[in-house]
Amino acid sequence: MENLKIEGFIWIESSEGLRIGKGRALLLEYIEKSGSIAEAARQIKIPYRKAWNMIKEMNKNNSEALVIKTIGGKDGGSSELTKEGKRLLLEYKRLSNKFIQFKKEQI
């Protein structure tokens, strides 16, 4: 018999659209670590515009915003995950870890 394995990734979506997947989860993680959308985009090697569009879409597809942005000021702006953003990221990680375990146990 061939060497078979299960591959794939988990994503969470609603009737409004994609809420979170692997790339979006990574973006949220780096925003949480750095407090900056620009820095998070640099870390995961995507353009700032793409990162910002991902955030706008996630915020639109959820009942509550996941990321809030503070503009400018003396020390510059910042971004942070909301309580809902942190909750969704944790839920995604939990489901993703379960799927990884499932893949290891099958076939």
Side-chain angles (χ1 to χ4, degrees), residues 33-48:
K33 287 178 187 176
S34 69
S36 164
I37 296 169
E39 182 58 29
R42 276 191 288 278
Q43 290 293 318
I44 63 173
K45 297 176 178 35
I46 64 171
Y48 173 83

Side-chain angles (χ1 to χ4, degrees), residues 12-19 24 57-63:
I12 300 171
E13 59 183 50
S14 69
S15 58
E16 286 80 35
L18 180 65
R19 287 188 176 190
R24 291 173 182 214
E57 190 174 337
M58 283 188 285
N59 282 346
K60 184 184 94 176
N61 292 338
N62 283 281
S63 57

Side-chain angles (χ1 to χ4, degrees), residues 85-96:
K86 291 176 183 180
R87 185 199 67 74
L88 186 61
L89 180 59
L90 284 173
E91 183 66 10
Y92 175 81
K93 286 180 178 182
R94 185 185 71 75
L95 290 171
S96 185

Side-chain angles (χ1 to χ4, degrees), residues 60-78:
K60 184 184 94 176
N61 292 338
N62 283 281
S63 57
E64 298 176 41
L66 303 182
V67 177
I68 54 173
K69 183 176 178 177
T70 306
I71 298 178
K74 185 177 94 176
D75 299 320
S78 66

